Structure formats: structure tokens, C-alpha cells
Amino acid sequence: MPETTTTDAHVAVLAFPFSSHAAVLLSGVGRLATSAPNTLFSFFSTAQSNNSIFAATRQPNLKAYNVWDGVPEGHVFSGRHQEDIDLFMETAPQSFRKEIEVAVVETGRRVSCLVTDAFLWFGAEIAEEIRVPWIPCWTSASTSLTSHVLTDLIRETINDCAGLAGREDETLSFVPEMSKIRICDLPTGILFGNLESVFHRMLHRMGQMLPQAAAVFGNSFEELEPDTTNYLKTKLKSFLTIGPFNLVNPQPPVPDTFGCLSWLDKQKPASVAYIAFGSVATPPPAELVALAEALETSKVPFIWVLKDSLMTLLPKGLVGNGKVLTWAPQQKVLGHNAVGLFITHGGWNSVLESIAGGVPMICRPFFGDHSVNARMVEAVWEMGVTVKGGVFTREELLSSMDLIFVQEKGKKMRERVGAMKEAAERAVGEKGRSTQNFMALLNLISS
Ligand SMILES: O=c1ccn([C@@H]2O[C@H](COP(=O)(O)OP(=O)(O)O[C@H]3O[C@H](CO)[C@@H](O)[C@H](O)[C@H]3O)[C@@H](O)[C@H]2O)c(=O)[nH]1
């Protein structure tokens, strides 16, 4: 790729250091750093986050800086939900400002552009103070972003129509681009959950601030979400989908500690269920038991990622039919031709990785954007199903596995995921839309 940068550009990158957010941002920024070797990239996250995502060898023009996690010395966590996020967000604007100054002194280059996780809406204020463009990265689907940009409209419309009660299954007919999404599928923080929590106020503010950004870039591709992508192009100064990141920047090699891949080599094509719920979610014990029983009854071979502490819940004979482990090289597993089903929470990276592997899904959403992603899998792309009633039951799992592994409908789903996989590969190919968008982004950040 041609070098298009001026020689003194310095991009400050502010990460949201929880779940897989920082890793996804680093994956996008790593690609920019490779394509613009004369531009410096200073990547700011907490020490814990940086230690977990920065490999020993990185591009020489990409350097990690640690910011304070906001946890006061001697603080004892109360176990309150998202306490770590609340503490971080309280001090984050000042912590980032302070560390940016350190990077400026150390590199001898003033910052020329501010890239942030889109969650960090105060990036708009920092960018204004230092008079540089603000370019946020949205690490999830264009459709979930649309719902955040439209939060005020959605709240007003629902309130004008006498509130939410009994209307959860209605579709968002007043937003034509999201007309297959139901009210109950909306990400938490728009109508559901504690709307006054630090996290949800942050999402609301983000939706209001993003139209000020010089450009927003996202980990999706236009062919996957044409309607909401086009809508965002009208609402934001510039909206550039440059994904899927997993196809252009696959996961760095991770050791196959548990021998998943060699075990998969011995299984029949499209016969194995892979089960994982991302970096945060865990189904409650009763659902884990329902899942274990469904696997045992169906005899479907499986790879199941599960926390160590929960393994005692599984029936003793179960493991004979598969592998239960604490972490898998997910992208490689989903890319293996033996895998025919992904049982997932619907995290955006998992959805994109399932598409890249051509694997249909059973989605069991938990929070955040999982429900809207799962709805798209089922009702828009028809590449899988979402569990009814929101929880796993043995009977429904058995019938969904039968549908995907055995029935004609399942075959059609596999064909549709396969076609979308090809569309994704075209998008990041030499002349693809995501590649063109990436070049436009590269010009923006390094000029
Ligand atoms: O055994 C495992 C389990 C997970 N992963 C990886 O972990 C990531 C998980 O990402 P994702 O599916 O997006 O789930 P979360 O970590 O829960 O992601 C958070 O961030 C996403 C956007 O970045 C949002 O869509 C989710 O709602 C939010 O929970 C993926 O890249 C997986 O490949 C592995 O490599 N091995």
C-alpha cells in the first residue's frame, strides 16, 4: 500500500479498556500504522489492558502508554455491576490528557489527530482543545450505532405513544432502515436498563457527539448492513466501514494449548458445535446444564469454552463427546471446516468471525448490542436463530441443532453465511468498499 503520510503526523489513540474493545481498536490502528510507517501512533489504555493486547513485537511507529485505571489506592471493590467502568470513566478525561502530554514530550511531535473508541465521547472536547480532528472508531455493527445516534428520537417517539408497556415486540417502523428490528432488540441503555448509569449516560452522550466528529470508522462492511450504513452517512460527517477487521488483521497466533485444531482435524465436515460467549458473558448454571444435556442427547461433537470454576456443573460423561476448555483460538476454530454451528452470545466480533468461517449461529444474547446483533442474524440475514424467551432450554436447543445440522432450512442458512463470507472477502479485497474506505481514512488521519 502506498505511503501517503506527511512525516510529522502523530495520532493519539484513546482506548476503552474493557471487554474486547481495546483489542479491536488496536487491530484497526495496527493496520493504519503498517500502512503509514512515518506516522507515529501513541496508544493509550490502562496497564492491564495494554499488557494483555500488546504483543512483544509491534510496529516501531506504534507505542503503548498506560493511563490510570481510576481505582484509588486501597479501594475495595463492592461487587457492584460495572464499578470498574464507573471508576475509570470518572478520571479518564484527565488521565488521557496527562498521558498525551507525556507522549508529546517524549516523541517531540504535537498530536495531529485524535482517534478514540467511540464510547469516549469526550474525545470531541480534547480534540477541540488541541485543535485536531476527532476520529472515533465504532467497534460494533453499523445497526447498533444507528440506534445510539437515534436514542433521543427513539425515546421521544416511544414516550409520545404512551410508553413501552406491551410494545416490546413492535418493530421500529418509524426508522425505515431498522424496520426489522423490534423494540426489545434495542441495545441496553436506549430504552432498557438503568438509563442513569455512568455507562448508559456515556452511550447517550456518544450518540449526541458523534455528528461532530471529522469522521467515524467502523468494524463492519457495507454489503452486510447497507441500510444503516447509508443512513449513518447522512447523519455523520463521514462514516467509513473498513471491516471486517478479522479478515484483514487476523488474531495474532495463539498457541493451541488445548489441541482444538488437531481434534477438529479428526471430525467430519460441518459436524461440530463451537460454544463460546465472548470475554464477559456467562450463562447462569441452569442454562449451562440445559446446554450440556442437549449436547449429550444429540451426540453432536463440540468445543465449549467455559470458565474453570463452572466445569463442575457439567455431567461427568459429557466430555467424551467433545472438548471443554477455558480459551480457544476462536477465529481458527470457526475457520475449520469441521465446525458447523456456533452457539454464541452475539458479540459483534463473534458474529463477524462466524461469517468469516461460513458458520450458522444459535444466539443467546445477554446485554449491550447482543440482542440487536442476534436479531440481524435471525431476521435480516437469516444465518441462524435466536433462543426463544431469551434463555437456553434443552428442548429448544435440540430442535435448533436439528434445524441447523439436519434440515433443509439449516442448509440454506449455511449457503447464506457462505455468500456473506464471500461478500466480506470482496469488501476487503483490492478494489472492495472497505479497502477504499480504509484508504480514505488513512488520508484523513495522516494528512
Ligand atoms: O475462547 C475464546 C473466546 C473468545 N475469543 C475472542 O474474543 C472475542 C470476543 O469478542 P465479542 O464476540 O465481540 O464479545 P465480547 O468480548 O463480549 O465483546 C464486547 O465488545 C464487542 C464489540 O467490540 C461488543 O459487540 C460486545 O457486545 C461486547 O460484549 C472474539 O474476537 C473471539 O475470537 C477467543 O479468541 N477465544
Side-chain angles (χ1 to χ4, degrees):
M1 211 169 273
E3 161 65 353
T4 55
T5 67
T6 56
T7 49
D8 60 353
H10 178 189
V11 182
V13 184
L14 314 188
F16 181 73
F18 301 98
S19 70
S20 42
H21 270 248
V24 177
L25 181 64
L26 181 61
S27 139
V29 166
R31 186 170 162 223
L32 289 165
T34 303
S35 307
N38 294 329
T39 296
L40 291 184
F41 292 81
S42 299
F43 189 93
F44 302 88
S45 195
T46 58
Q48 192 187 10
S49 152
N50 278 336
N51 289 342
S52 70
I53 58 175
F54 262 81
T57 50
R58 265 279 163 201
Q59 297 90 327
N61 58 332
L62 171 56
K63 183 170 174 199
Y65 290 86
N66 296 340
V67 294
W68 189 36
D69 58 11
V71 182
E73 221 172 294
H75 179 82
V76 180
F77 278 91
S78 65
R80 189 168 48 78
H81 182 55
Q82 294 187 331
E83 189 176 356
D84 48 357
I85 297 182
D86 293 1
L87 288 168
F88 173 75
M89 286 304 288
E90 210 168 291
T91 53
Q94 284 321 321
S95 307
F96 281 125
R97 281 185 177 93
K98 210 168 114 204
E99 207 52 39
I100 289 172
E101 279 172 25
V102 172
V104 168
V105 171
E106 203 179 285
T107 59
R109 285 196 200 180
R110 65 178 285 276
V111 169
S112 53
C113 176
L114 188 70
V115 168
T116 71
D117 188 301
F119 281 180
L120 306 176
W121 57 268
F122 53 80
E125 296 175 351
I126 300 180
E128 200 178 338
E129 282 158 30
I130 57 176
R131 292 165 201 253
V132 298
W134 174 44
I135 304 188
C137 170
W138 177 248
T139 59
S140 193
S142 306
T143 304
S144 53
L145 180 58
T146 304
S147 61
H148 291 298
V149 169
L150 287 172
T151 296
D152 287 323
L153 174 80
I154 292 172
R155 287 183 185 171
E156 278 158 27
T157 311
I158 299 295
N159 289 335
D160 284 353
C161 301
L164 252 180
R167 302 181 54 201
E168 289 85 350
D169 287 339
E170 274 179 32
T171 54
L172 289 179
S173 50
F174 54 95
V175 184
E177 295 77 5
M178 293 178 66
S179 57
K180 285 206 171 157
I181 307 298
R182 297 163 306 185
I183 289 173
C184 61
D185 303 316
L186 284 169
T188 30
I190 294 178
L191 294 170
F192 307 109
N194 172 9
L195 304 188
E196 290 311 312
S197 72
V198 172
F199 188 69
H200 291 153
R201 277 191 284 125
M202 175 189 83
L203 291 176
H204 186 203
R205 199 89 174 93
M206 169 191 78
Q208 293 171 328
M209 296 299 270
L210 287 179
Q212 293 184 24
V216 178
F217 66 104
N219 182 15
S220 187
F221 56 105
E222 296 193 10
E223 293 78 354
L224 184 63
E225 303 177 275
D227 297 342
T228 46
T229 305
N230 286 332
Y231 179 78
L232 287 170
K233 285 183 185 173
T234 68
K235 284 284 158 194
L236 306 174
K237 285 184 188 152
S238 169
F239 181 58
L240 300 165
T241 48
I242 62 167
F245 289 5
N246 51 303
L247 279 188
V248 274
N249 246 357
Q251 262 170 347
V254 271
D256 184 17
T257 319
F258 301 96
C260 293
L261 301 172
S262 48
W263 181 82
L264 284 171
D265 286 342
K266 296 184 202 113
Q267 309 303 318
K268 293 194 191 105
S271 66
V272 172
Y274 170 63
I275 305 154
F277 303 103
S279 57
V280 189
T282 310
E287 289 186 64
L288 294 176
V289 171
L291 188 46
E293 287 176 357
L295 290 168
E296 209 174 21
T297 309
S298 67
K299 304 270 181 293
V300 165
F302 63 87
I303 290 179
W304 187 349
V305 178
L306 188 65
K307 286 197 183 92
D308 238 343
S309 57
L310 296 170
M311 294 206 185
T312 49
L313 291 169
L314 304 183
K316 293 225 160 29
L318 178 75
V319 181
N321 208 25
K323 274 180 137 5
V324 184
L325 31 92
T326 50
W327 194 255
Q330 180 164 306
Q331 290 185 25
K332 289 228 160 51
V333 169
L334 287 167
H336 196 290
N337 79 342
V339 175
L341 165 67
F342 184 14
I343 302 182
T344 170
H345 61 313
W348 187 239
N349 299 298
S350 291
V351 171
L352 289 178
E353 290 161 15
S354 210
I355 292 174
V359 178
M361 288 159 260
I362 295 176
C363 300
R364 191 300 190 197
F366 289 84
F367 56 78
D369 58 345
H370 305 168
S371 294
V372 68
N373 298 340
R375 176 69 177 170
M376 289 190 288
V377 166
E378 180 175 72
V380 180
W381 307 316
E382 300 178 46
M383 293 174 183
V385 294
T386 298
V387 295
K388 290 189 193 74
V391 292
F392 287 130
T393 61
R394 177 181 172 278
E395 279 64 34
E396 196 202 336
L397 274 164
L398 283 170
S399 88
S400 300
M401 285 198 275
D402 181 71
L403 184 138
I404 289 176
F405 281 120
V406 181
Q407 294 178 30
E408 188 59 23
K409 262 189 169 175
K411 197 173 149 222
K412 287 263 169 331
M413 283 178 187
R414 231 184 326 278
E415 283 167 12
R416 280 191 283 268
V417 197
M420 197 54 87
K421 170 189 161 106
E422 284 170 19
E425 284 165 352
R426 279 194 302 277
V428 296
E430 208 183 331
K431 295 195 173 128
R433 291 294 304 174
S434 288
T435 304
Q436 290 171 26
N437 288 343
F438 178 77
M439 293 310 291
L441 177 67
L442 190 60
N443 276 327
L444 267 177
I445 65 149
S446 52
S447 55

